[in-house]
Short mmCIF file of all heavy atoms in Angstrom, two decimals:
data_model
loop_
_atom_site.label_atom_id
_atom_site.label_comp_id
_atom_site.label_asym_id
_atom_site.label_seq_id
_atom_site.Cartn_x
_atom_site.Cartn_y
_atom_site.Cartn_z
N MET A 11 30.37 7.78 -12.99
CA MET A 11 31.20 8.67 -13.77
C MET A 11 31.90 9.66 -12.83
O MET A 11 31.27 10.30 -12.01
CB MET A 11 30.32 9.42 -14.76
CG MET A 11 31.08 10.18 -15.78
SD MET A 11 29.91 10.63 -17.09
CE MET A 11 30.68 12.08 -17.66
N ASN A 12 33.19 9.78 -12.94
CA ASN A 12 33.96 10.65 -12.08
C ASN A 12 33.98 12.06 -12.64
O ASN A 12 34.53 12.31 -13.70
CB ASN A 12 35.39 10.11 -11.95
CG ASN A 12 36.18 10.82 -10.89
OD1 ASN A 12 35.69 11.78 -10.29
ND2 ASN A 12 37.38 10.35 -10.66
N ARG A 13 33.40 12.99 -11.90
CA ARG A 13 33.31 14.37 -12.38
C ARG A 13 34.25 15.31 -11.65
O ARG A 13 34.16 16.52 -11.81
CB ARG A 13 31.88 14.88 -12.22
CG ARG A 13 30.91 14.16 -13.10
CD ARG A 13 29.55 14.74 -12.97
NE ARG A 13 28.64 13.99 -13.81
CZ ARG A 13 27.42 14.35 -14.07
NH1 ARG A 13 26.93 15.44 -13.56
NH2 ARG A 13 26.66 13.62 -14.85
N LYS A 14 35.11 14.78 -10.82
CA LYS A 14 36.01 15.63 -10.07
C LYS A 14 36.97 16.35 -11.01
O LYS A 14 37.47 15.78 -11.96
CB LYS A 14 36.80 14.82 -9.06
CG LYS A 14 35.96 14.31 -7.92
CD LYS A 14 36.79 13.63 -6.90
CE LYS A 14 37.15 14.68 -5.87
NZ LYS A 14 37.83 14.12 -4.72
N GLN A 15 37.20 17.62 -10.69
CA GLN A 15 38.13 18.42 -11.47
C GLN A 15 39.57 18.07 -11.05
O GLN A 15 39.82 17.78 -9.89
CB GLN A 15 37.89 19.90 -11.19
CG GLN A 15 36.55 20.41 -11.64
CD GLN A 15 36.46 20.48 -13.15
OE1 GLN A 15 37.45 20.71 -13.84
NE2 GLN A 15 35.28 20.27 -13.68
N PRO A 16 40.50 18.12 -11.98
CA PRO A 16 41.90 17.90 -11.61
C PRO A 16 42.38 19.06 -10.74
O PRO A 16 41.91 20.18 -10.86
CB PRO A 16 42.63 17.86 -12.94
CG PRO A 16 41.75 18.60 -13.89
CD PRO A 16 40.34 18.38 -13.40
N VAL A 17 43.33 18.78 -9.89
CA VAL A 17 43.88 19.80 -9.00
C VAL A 17 45.06 20.47 -9.70
O VAL A 17 45.92 19.81 -10.27
CB VAL A 17 44.33 19.17 -7.67
CG1 VAL A 17 44.97 20.20 -6.77
CG2 VAL A 17 43.14 18.52 -6.97
N THR A 18 45.08 21.80 -9.66
CA THR A 18 46.16 22.57 -10.28
C THR A 18 47.40 22.56 -9.39
O THR A 18 47.31 22.24 -8.21
CB THR A 18 45.71 24.04 -10.49
OG1 THR A 18 45.50 24.64 -9.21
CG2 THR A 18 44.45 24.12 -11.32
N PRO A 19 48.56 22.96 -9.92
CA PRO A 19 49.75 23.06 -9.07
C PRO A 19 49.52 24.01 -7.88
O PRO A 19 49.96 23.72 -6.76
CB PRO A 19 50.82 23.60 -10.02
CG PRO A 19 50.40 23.09 -11.36
CD PRO A 19 48.88 23.15 -11.34
N PHE A 20 48.83 25.13 -8.11
CA PHE A 20 48.51 26.04 -7.01
C PHE A 20 47.58 25.35 -6.01
O PHE A 20 47.74 25.51 -4.80
CB PHE A 20 47.88 27.32 -7.58
CG PHE A 20 47.57 28.37 -6.53
CD1 PHE A 20 48.51 28.75 -5.60
CD2 PHE A 20 46.34 28.99 -6.50
CE1 PHE A 20 48.24 29.74 -4.65
CE2 PHE A 20 46.04 29.97 -5.56
CZ PHE A 20 47.00 30.34 -4.63
N GLY A 21 46.66 24.55 -6.52
CA GLY A 21 45.75 23.81 -5.66
C GLY A 21 46.50 22.84 -4.76
O GLY A 21 46.20 22.71 -3.58
N TRP A 22 47.49 22.15 -5.33
CA TRP A 22 48.30 21.22 -4.53
C TRP A 22 49.09 21.99 -3.47
O TRP A 22 49.24 21.52 -2.34
CB TRP A 22 49.24 20.39 -5.40
CG TRP A 22 48.56 19.29 -6.12
CD1 TRP A 22 48.47 19.12 -7.46
CD2 TRP A 22 47.84 18.19 -5.54
NE1 TRP A 22 47.74 17.99 -7.76
CE2 TRP A 22 47.34 17.40 -6.60
CE3 TRP A 22 47.56 17.80 -4.24
CZ2 TRP A 22 46.59 16.25 -6.40
CZ3 TRP A 22 46.80 16.66 -4.02
CH2 TRP A 22 46.33 15.89 -5.09
N ALA A 23 49.58 23.16 -3.83
CA ALA A 23 50.32 23.99 -2.86
C ALA A 23 49.40 24.40 -1.72
O ALA A 23 49.80 24.38 -0.55
CB ALA A 23 50.91 25.21 -3.55
N ILE A 24 48.16 24.77 -2.03
CA ILE A 24 47.17 25.13 -1.00
C ILE A 24 46.92 23.93 -0.09
O ILE A 24 46.98 24.04 1.14
CB ILE A 24 45.85 25.61 -1.63
CG1 ILE A 24 46.03 26.95 -2.34
CG2 ILE A 24 44.75 25.71 -0.58
CD1 ILE A 24 44.84 27.37 -3.19
N LYS A 25 46.64 22.78 -0.69
CA LYS A 25 46.34 21.59 0.09
C LYS A 25 47.51 21.18 0.98
O LYS A 25 47.33 20.82 2.14
CB LYS A 25 45.95 20.43 -0.83
CG LYS A 25 44.57 20.58 -1.44
CD LYS A 25 44.30 19.42 -2.38
CE LYS A 25 42.87 19.35 -2.79
NZ LYS A 25 41.97 18.86 -1.74
N GLN A 26 48.72 21.25 0.44
CA GLN A 26 49.90 20.88 1.21
C GLN A 26 50.08 21.83 2.39
O GLN A 26 50.35 21.40 3.52
CB GLN A 26 51.14 20.91 0.32
CG GLN A 26 52.40 20.54 1.07
CD GLN A 26 53.63 20.53 0.18
OE1 GLN A 26 53.56 20.83 -1.01
NE2 GLN A 26 54.76 20.20 0.76
N ARG A 27 49.93 23.12 2.15
CA ARG A 27 50.12 24.10 3.22
C ARG A 27 49.05 23.96 4.30
O ARG A 27 49.35 24.07 5.49
CB ARG A 27 50.11 25.51 2.62
CG ARG A 27 50.53 26.56 3.59
CD ARG A 27 52.01 26.44 3.98
NE ARG A 27 52.32 27.47 4.94
CZ ARG A 27 52.72 27.26 6.18
NH1 ARG A 27 52.94 26.03 6.61
NH2 ARG A 27 52.93 28.26 7.00
N LEU A 28 47.81 23.72 3.89
CA LEU A 28 46.74 23.51 4.87
C LEU A 28 47.03 22.27 5.72
O LEU A 28 46.81 22.27 6.93
CB LEU A 28 45.38 23.39 4.18
CG LEU A 28 44.80 24.69 3.63
CD1 LEU A 28 43.51 24.40 2.85
CD2 LEU A 28 44.52 25.70 4.74
N ALA A 29 47.56 21.23 5.09
CA ALA A 29 47.91 20.01 5.83
C ALA A 29 49.02 20.30 6.83
O ALA A 29 48.98 19.84 7.98
CB ALA A 29 48.33 18.90 4.87
N GLU A 30 50.02 21.08 6.41
CA GLU A 30 51.11 21.44 7.32
C GLU A 30 50.59 22.22 8.52
O GLU A 30 51.10 22.08 9.63
CB GLU A 30 52.16 22.28 6.58
CG GLU A 30 52.95 21.50 5.56
CD GLU A 30 53.80 22.40 4.66
OE1 GLU A 30 53.79 23.64 4.83
OE2 GLU A 30 54.47 21.85 3.76
N LEU A 31 49.57 23.06 8.28
CA LEU A 31 48.98 23.87 9.36
C LEU A 31 47.92 23.09 10.13
O LEU A 31 47.34 23.61 11.08
CB LEU A 31 48.35 25.13 8.77
CG LEU A 31 49.31 26.12 8.11
CD1 LEU A 31 48.54 27.21 7.38
CD2 LEU A 31 50.25 26.72 9.13
N GLN A 32 47.66 21.87 9.71
CA GLN A 32 46.62 21.01 10.30
C GLN A 32 45.27 21.74 10.34
O GLN A 32 44.59 21.78 11.36
CB GLN A 32 47.03 20.54 11.69
CG GLN A 32 48.26 19.68 11.66
CD GLN A 32 48.67 19.17 13.03
OE1 GLN A 32 48.25 19.69 14.05
NE2 GLN A 32 49.50 18.15 13.03
N MET A 33 44.93 22.30 9.18
CA MET A 33 43.68 23.06 9.04
C MET A 33 42.94 22.55 7.81
O MET A 33 43.56 22.31 6.77
CB MET A 33 44.01 24.55 8.89
CG MET A 33 42.82 25.46 8.89
SD MET A 33 43.23 27.21 8.65
CE MET A 33 44.49 27.50 9.86
N ASP A 34 41.64 22.38 7.93
CA ASP A 34 40.89 21.97 6.75
C ASP A 34 40.42 23.21 5.98
O ASP A 34 40.51 24.34 6.46
CB ASP A 34 39.72 21.04 7.10
CG ASP A 34 38.68 21.69 8.00
OD1 ASP A 34 38.61 22.92 8.08
OD2 ASP A 34 37.91 20.93 8.62
N GLN A 35 39.92 22.98 4.78
CA GLN A 35 39.51 24.08 3.91
C GLN A 35 38.39 24.90 4.54
O GLN A 35 38.40 26.14 4.47
CB GLN A 35 39.07 23.53 2.55
CG GLN A 35 40.20 22.98 1.72
CD GLN A 35 39.73 22.35 0.43
OE1 GLN A 35 40.28 21.37 0.01
NE2 GLN A 35 38.74 22.91 -0.21
N LYS A 36 37.44 24.24 5.15
CA LYS A 36 36.30 24.93 5.74
C LYS A 36 36.75 25.87 6.86
O LYS A 36 36.32 27.02 6.93
CB LYS A 36 35.29 23.91 6.28
CG LYS A 36 34.04 24.54 6.83
CD LYS A 36 33.05 23.47 7.25
CE LYS A 36 31.78 24.12 7.79
NZ LYS A 36 30.79 23.13 8.17
N THR A 37 37.63 25.39 7.72
CA THR A 37 38.14 26.22 8.82
C THR A 37 38.91 27.41 8.27
O THR A 37 38.75 28.54 8.75
CB THR A 37 39.05 25.38 9.74
OG1 THR A 37 38.30 24.27 10.23
CG2 THR A 37 39.59 26.19 10.90
N PHE A 38 39.75 27.18 7.28
CA PHE A 38 40.52 28.25 6.66
C PHE A 38 39.60 29.32 6.10
O PHE A 38 39.79 30.52 6.35
CB PHE A 38 41.43 27.68 5.56
CG PHE A 38 42.19 28.73 4.80
CD1 PHE A 38 43.30 29.35 5.36
CD2 PHE A 38 41.80 29.09 3.52
CE1 PHE A 38 44.00 30.32 4.65
CE2 PHE A 38 42.49 30.06 2.81
CZ PHE A 38 43.60 30.67 3.38
N CYS A 39 38.60 28.90 5.36
CA CYS A 39 37.66 29.84 4.74
C CYS A 39 36.90 30.64 5.80
O CYS A 39 36.74 31.86 5.66
CB CYS A 39 36.68 29.11 3.83
SG CYS A 39 37.46 28.48 2.33
N THR A 40 36.44 29.97 6.84
CA THR A 40 35.71 30.64 7.90
C THR A 40 36.60 31.65 8.62
O THR A 40 36.19 32.78 8.86
CB THR A 40 35.16 29.61 8.91
OG1 THR A 40 34.31 28.69 8.21
CG2 THR A 40 34.38 30.28 10.02
N ARG A 41 37.80 31.25 8.92
CA ARG A 41 38.72 32.11 9.67
C ARG A 41 39.07 33.39 8.90
O ARG A 41 39.21 34.46 9.50
CB ARG A 41 39.98 31.34 10.01
CG ARG A 41 40.95 32.13 10.89
CD ARG A 41 42.09 31.29 11.39
NE ARG A 41 41.58 30.27 12.29
CZ ARG A 41 42.28 29.24 12.72
NH1 ARG A 41 43.53 29.08 12.33
NH2 ARG A 41 41.77 28.36 13.54
N TYR A 42 39.23 33.28 7.59
CA TYR A 42 39.70 34.42 6.80
C TYR A 42 38.65 35.04 5.90
O TYR A 42 38.96 35.92 5.09
CB TYR A 42 40.94 34.02 5.99
CG TYR A 42 42.09 33.65 6.90
CD1 TYR A 42 42.49 32.33 7.03
CD2 TYR A 42 42.75 34.63 7.65
CE1 TYR A 42 43.53 31.98 7.89
CE2 TYR A 42 43.79 34.28 8.49
CZ TYR A 42 44.17 32.96 8.61
OH TYR A 42 45.20 32.62 9.46
N GLY A 43 37.40 34.61 6.02
CA GLY A 43 36.31 35.22 5.26
C GLY A 43 36.39 34.99 3.76
O GLY A 43 36.01 35.85 2.97
N ILE A 44 36.87 33.83 3.39
CA ILE A 44 36.97 33.48 1.97
C ILE A 44 35.85 32.51 1.64
O ILE A 44 35.69 31.50 2.33
CB ILE A 44 38.34 32.84 1.66
CG1 ILE A 44 39.44 33.86 1.93
CG2 ILE A 44 38.41 32.32 0.23
CD1 ILE A 44 40.83 33.28 1.93
N PRO A 45 35.05 32.80 0.61
CA PRO A 45 33.98 31.87 0.26
C PRO A 45 34.56 30.50 -0.12
O PRO A 45 35.50 30.42 -0.90
CB PRO A 45 33.32 32.52 -0.95
CG PRO A 45 33.70 33.97 -0.89
CD PRO A 45 35.06 33.99 -0.25
N PRO A 46 34.02 29.42 0.45
CA PRO A 46 34.52 28.08 0.13
C PRO A 46 34.52 27.79 -1.37
O PRO A 46 35.43 27.11 -1.87
CB PRO A 46 33.57 27.15 0.88
CG PRO A 46 33.06 27.98 2.00
CD PRO A 46 32.97 29.39 1.47
N SER A 47 33.55 28.32 -2.08
CA SER A 47 33.50 28.08 -3.52
C SER A 47 34.69 28.71 -4.24
O SER A 47 35.19 28.16 -5.22
CB SER A 47 32.19 28.60 -4.12
OG SER A 47 32.09 30.01 -3.90
N ARG A 48 35.15 29.85 -3.75
CA ARG A 48 36.30 30.50 -4.39
C ARG A 48 37.59 29.73 -4.10
O ARG A 48 38.44 29.61 -4.97
CB ARG A 48 36.44 31.95 -3.93
CG ARG A 48 35.33 32.84 -4.42
CD ARG A 48 35.29 32.87 -5.95
NE ARG A 48 34.07 33.48 -6.41
CZ ARG A 48 33.06 32.83 -6.97
NH1 ARG A 48 33.13 31.52 -7.15
NH2 ARG A 48 31.99 33.45 -7.39
N LEU A 49 37.72 29.21 -2.90
CA LEU A 49 38.90 28.40 -2.60
C LEU A 49 38.90 27.15 -3.48
O LEU A 49 39.93 26.77 -4.04
CB LEU A 49 38.95 28.01 -1.12
CG LEU A 49 40.21 27.27 -0.70
CD1 LEU A 49 41.45 28.15 -0.88
CD2 LEU A 49 40.12 26.80 0.73
N SER A 50 37.74 26.57 -3.64
CA SER A 50 37.61 25.41 -4.52
C SER A 50 37.97 25.77 -5.95
O SER A 50 38.65 25.01 -6.64
CB SER A 50 36.17 24.87 -4.45
OG SER A 50 36.02 23.78 -5.32
N ASN A 51 37.54 26.95 -6.41
CA ASN A 51 37.89 27.41 -7.75
C ASN A 51 39.41 27.52 -7.91
O ASN A 51 39.96 27.16 -8.96
CB ASN A 51 37.27 28.78 -8.05
CG ASN A 51 35.77 28.76 -8.17
OD1 ASN A 51 35.12 29.76 -7.89
ND2 ASN A 51 35.18 27.65 -8.57
N LEU A 52 40.07 28.04 -6.89
CA LEU A 52 41.53 28.16 -6.95
C LEU A 52 42.21 26.79 -6.99
O LEU A 52 43.17 26.59 -7.71
CB LEU A 52 42.04 28.96 -5.75
CG LEU A 52 41.72 30.45 -5.75
CD1 LEU A 52 42.09 31.07 -4.41
CD2 LEU A 52 42.44 31.16 -6.88
N ILE A 53 41.71 25.87 -6.21
CA ILE A 53 42.30 24.53 -6.14
C ILE A 53 42.11 23.79 -7.46
O ILE A 53 43.03 23.14 -7.95
CB ILE A 53 41.71 23.74 -4.96
CG1 ILE A 53 42.21 24.35 -3.64
CG2 ILE A 53 42.07 22.26 -5.04
CD1 ILE A 53 41.53 23.82 -2.40
N ASN A 54 40.93 23.91 -8.04
CA ASN A 54 40.62 23.17 -9.27
C ASN A 54 40.86 23.94 -10.55
O ASN A 54 40.80 23.36 -11.63
CB ASN A 54 39.17 22.68 -9.24
CG ASN A 54 38.93 21.74 -8.09
OD1 ASN A 54 39.72 20.86 -7.83
ND2 ASN A 54 37.84 21.94 -7.38
N GLY A 55 41.09 25.23 -10.45
CA GLY A 55 41.33 26.04 -11.64
C GLY A 55 40.09 26.27 -12.48
O GLY A 55 40.20 26.61 -13.65
N THR A 56 38.90 26.09 -11.90
CA THR A 56 37.67 26.25 -12.67
C THR A 56 37.35 27.71 -12.95
O THR A 56 36.70 28.01 -13.93
CB THR A 56 36.48 25.59 -11.96
OG1 THR A 56 36.42 26.06 -10.62
CG2 THR A 56 36.62 24.08 -11.97
N ARG A 57 37.81 28.60 -12.09
CA ARG A 57 37.69 30.04 -12.30
C ARG A 57 38.97 30.66 -11.77
O ARG A 57 39.61 30.12 -10.89
CB ARG A 57 36.49 30.62 -11.54
CG ARG A 57 35.17 30.12 -12.05
CD ARG A 57 34.05 30.66 -11.21
NE ARG A 57 33.78 32.05 -11.55
CZ ARG A 57 32.89 32.80 -10.92
NH1 ARG A 57 32.19 32.31 -9.92
NH2 ARG A 57 32.68 34.04 -11.28
N LYS A 58 39.29 31.83 -12.27
CA LYS A 58 40.53 32.47 -11.84
C LYS A 58 40.47 32.93 -10.38
O LYS A 58 41.46 32.88 -9.68
CB LYS A 58 40.88 33.65 -12.74
CG LYS A 58 41.31 33.20 -14.11
CD LYS A 58 41.80 34.36 -14.92
CE LYS A 58 42.24 33.88 -16.29
NZ LYS A 58 42.85 34.92 -17.07
N ALA A 59 39.32 33.39 -9.93
CA ALA A 59 39.15 33.87 -8.56
C ALA A 59 40.29 34.81 -8.17
O ALA A 59 40.85 34.72 -7.08
CB ALA A 59 39.03 32.70 -7.59
N THR A 60 40.63 35.72 -9.06
CA THR A 60 41.78 36.60 -8.85
C THR A 60 41.65 37.45 -7.60
O THR A 60 42.66 37.78 -6.98
CB THR A 60 42.00 37.52 -10.07
OG1 THR A 60 40.79 38.19 -10.38
CG2 THR A 60 42.45 36.73 -11.28
N ARG A 61 40.43 37.77 -7.22
CA ARG A 61 40.22 38.58 -6.02
C ARG A 61 40.80 37.90 -4.78
O ARG A 61 41.27 38.56 -3.86
CB ARG A 61 38.73 38.82 -5.83
CG ARG A 61 38.38 39.61 -4.61
CD ARG A 61 36.90 39.88 -4.56
NE ARG A 61 36.54 40.52 -3.32
CZ ARG A 61 35.31 40.73 -2.93
NH1 ARG A 61 34.31 40.34 -3.67
NH2 ARG A 61 35.07 41.32 -1.78
N TYR A 62 40.77 36.58 -4.75
CA TYR A 62 41.22 35.83 -3.58
C TYR A 62 42.58 35.16 -3.75
O TYR A 62 43.17 34.71 -2.78
CB TYR A 62 40.18 34.77 -3.20
CG TYR A 62 38.88 35.40 -2.80
CD1 TYR A 62 37.80 35.45 -3.67
CD2 TYR A 62 38.73 35.97 -1.53
CE1 TYR A 62 36.62 36.05 -3.31
CE2 TYR A 62 37.53 36.57 -1.16
CZ TYR A 62 36.49 36.62 -2.05
OH TYR A 62 35.31 37.22 -1.69
N ARG A 63 43.08 35.10 -4.97
CA ARG A 63 44.32 34.37 -5.24
C ARG A 63 45.50 34.90 -4.42
O ARG A 63 46.20 34.15 -3.75
CB ARG A 63 44.63 34.40 -6.73
CG ARG A 63 45.78 33.51 -7.11
CD ARG A 63 46.00 33.54 -8.63
NE ARG A 63 46.95 32.54 -8.98
CZ ARG A 63 46.65 31.30 -9.34
NH1 ARG A 63 45.39 30.92 -9.42
NH2 ARG A 63 47.58 30.43 -9.63
N LYS A 64 45.72 36.20 -4.47
CA LYS A 64 46.84 36.79 -3.73
C LYS A 64 46.62 36.66 -2.23
O LYS A 64 47.55 36.35 -1.49
CB LYS A 64 47.04 38.26 -4.12
CG LYS A 64 48.22 38.90 -3.40
CD LYS A 64 48.51 40.27 -3.93
CE LYS A 64 49.65 40.99 -3.24
NZ LYS A 64 50.44 40.31 -2.30
N GLN A 65 45.40 36.87 -1.79
CA GLN A 65 45.09 36.76 -0.36
C GLN A 65 45.41 35.35 0.15
O GLN A 65 46.05 35.20 1.18
CB GLN A 65 43.62 37.09 -0.12
CG GLN A 65 43.21 37.01 1.33
CD GLN A 65 41.73 37.27 1.54
OE1 GLN A 65 40.97 37.44 0.60
NE2 GLN A 65 41.33 37.31 2.79
N VAL A 66 44.97 34.33 -0.57
CA VAL A 66 45.22 32.95 -0.16
C VAL A 66 46.72 32.66 -0.18
O VAL A 66 47.26 32.09 0.77
CB VAL A 66 44.45 31.95 -1.05
CG1 VAL A 66 44.91 30.52 -0.82
CG2 VAL A 66 42.95 32.08 -0.81
N ALA A 67 47.40 33.08 -1.24
CA ALA A 67 48.85 32.85 -1.33
C ALA A 67 49.59 33.54 -0.19
O ALA A 67 50.50 32.96 0.41
CB ALA A 67 49.38 33.34 -2.68
N ASP A 68 49.17 34.77 0.15
CA ASP A 68 49.82 35.49 1.24
C ASP A 68 49.52 34.84 2.59
O ASP A 68 50.42 34.67 3.41
CB ASP A 68 49.37 36.95 1.26
CG ASP A 68 49.93 37.76 0.10
OD1 ASP A 68 50.88 37.28 -0.57
OD2 ASP A 68 49.42 38.86 -0.16
N LEU A 69 48.26 34.50 2.83
CA LEU A 69 47.88 33.90 4.11
C LEU A 69 48.58 32.58 4.36
O LEU A 69 48.96 32.26 5.48
CB LEU A 69 46.36 33.69 4.17
CG LEU A 69 45.52 34.96 4.33
CD1 LEU A 69 44.05 34.64 4.11
CD2 LEU A 69 45.72 35.56 5.72
N LEU A 70 48.76 31.80 3.30
CA LEU A 70 49.38 30.48 3.44
C LEU A 70 50.89 30.53 3.18
O LEU A 70 51.56 29.51 3.24
CB LEU A 70 48.72 29.48 2.50
CG LEU A 70 47.26 29.16 2.82
CD1 LEU A 70 46.67 28.23 1.77
CD2 LEU A 70 47.13 28.55 4.21
N ASP A 71 51.39 31.73 2.88
CA ASP A 71 52.81 31.92 2.59
C ASP A 71 53.27 30.99 1.47
O ASP A 71 54.26 30.27 1.59
CB ASP A 71 53.65 31.71 3.85
CG ASP A 71 55.07 32.23 3.69
OD1 ASP A 71 55.26 33.19 2.90
OD2 ASP A 71 55.99 31.69 4.33
N ILE A 72 52.50 31.01 0.39
CA ILE A 72 52.83 30.21 -0.80
C ILE A 72 53.49 31.15 -1.80
O ILE A 72 52.89 32.11 -2.25
CB ILE A 72 51.57 29.58 -1.43
CG1 ILE A 72 50.89 28.65 -0.42
CG2 ILE A 72 51.93 28.83 -2.71
CD1 ILE A 72 49.54 28.14 -0.88
N GLN A 73 54.74 30.89 -2.11
CA GLN A 73 55.50 31.74 -3.01
C GLN A 73 55.20 31.42 -4.48
O GLN A 73 54.81 30.32 -4.82
CB GLN A 73 57.00 31.55 -2.76
CG GLN A 73 57.40 31.80 -1.33
CD GLN A 73 57.09 33.20 -0.84
OE1 GLN A 73 57.34 34.17 -1.55
NE2 GLN A 73 56.53 33.31 0.35
N ASN A 74 55.40 32.40 -5.34
CA ASN A 74 55.33 32.24 -6.80
C ASN A 74 53.96 31.94 -7.34
O ASN A 74 53.82 31.49 -8.48
CB ASN A 74 56.30 31.16 -7.28
CG ASN A 74 57.73 31.45 -6.89
OD1 ASN A 74 58.17 32.60 -6.94
ND2 ASN A 74 58.45 30.43 -6.47
N TYR A 75 52.89 32.12 -6.57
CA TYR A 75 51.56 31.85 -7.08
C TYR A 75 50.62 33.05 -6.97
O TYR A 75 49.54 33.02 -7.49
CB TYR A 75 50.92 30.68 -6.33
CG TYR A 75 51.50 29.34 -6.71
CD1 TYR A 75 52.39 28.69 -5.88
CD2 TYR A 75 51.16 28.74 -7.93
CE1 TYR A 75 52.91 27.46 -6.23
CE2 TYR A 75 51.70 27.53 -8.28
CZ TYR A 75 52.57 26.90 -7.43
OH TYR A 75 53.09 25.68 -7.78
N SER A 76 50.99 34.09 -6.28
CA SER A 76 50.06 35.18 -5.99
C SER A 76 49.69 35.99 -7.21
O SER A 76 48.65 36.62 -7.24
CB SER A 76 50.63 36.10 -4.91
OG SER A 76 51.84 36.68 -5.34
N ASN A 77 50.50 36.00 -8.25
CA ASN A 77 50.18 36.83 -9.40
C ASN A 77 50.02 36.06 -10.70
O ASN A 77 50.13 36.60 -11.76
CB ASN A 77 51.25 37.91 -9.56
CG ASN A 77 52.64 37.34 -9.74
OD1 ASN A 77 52.80 36.14 -9.80
ND2 ASN A 77 53.63 38.21 -9.80
N HIS A 78 49.74 34.78 -10.63
CA HIS A 78 49.52 33.99 -11.86
C HIS A 78 48.09 34.10 -12.29
O HIS A 78 47.19 34.14 -11.57
CB HIS A 78 49.88 32.52 -11.62
CG HIS A 78 51.35 32.30 -11.65
ND1 HIS A 78 52.09 32.12 -10.51
CD2 HIS A 78 52.22 32.26 -12.66
CE1 HIS A 78 53.36 31.96 -10.83
NE2 HIS A 78 53.45 32.04 -12.13
#
């Protein structure tokens, strides 16, 4: 049974930007002090993780997602 959560549009933007930077999620989280679970929440939309949403959008220079 497949239990993977669907990826949100913001999640795809995160994944695309990390790929462009040739950085994986773990490295990004370690470098910027973001809990991996919160990044996962943002990618999958399972929790709002508003505390980190703007930070991630700013760090990755992702427009139009920091205040949703």
Side-chain angles (χ1 to χ4, degrees):
M11 191 166 152
N12 190 356
R13 294 184 182 190
K14 290 185 93 173
Q15 295 289 329
V17 177
T18 65
F20 183 49
W22 283 119
I24 292 170
K25 286 178 168 286
Q26 179 178 2
R27 190 67 181 118
L28 286 174
E30 290 169 1
L31 296 171
Q32 297 181 343
M33 187 182 309
D34 63 20
Q35 290 176 217
K36 184 176 181 178
T37 302
F38 176 76
C39 290
T40 301
R41 185 171 294 168
Y42 297 107
I44 297 168
S47 60
R48 292 300 168 253
L49 186 63
S50 178
N51 292 152
L52 289 171
I53 290 170
N54 298 316
T56 51
R57 294 176 76 183
K58 289 187 180 186
T60 53
R61 178 176 175 189
Y62 297 101
R63 188 178 189 92
K64 182 172 179 8
Q65 180 183 5
V66 169
D68 289 346
L69 287 169
L70 294 176
D71 195 28
I72 300 172
Q73 304 300 316
N74 302 321
Y75 286 104
S76 61
N77 58 3
H78 282 104

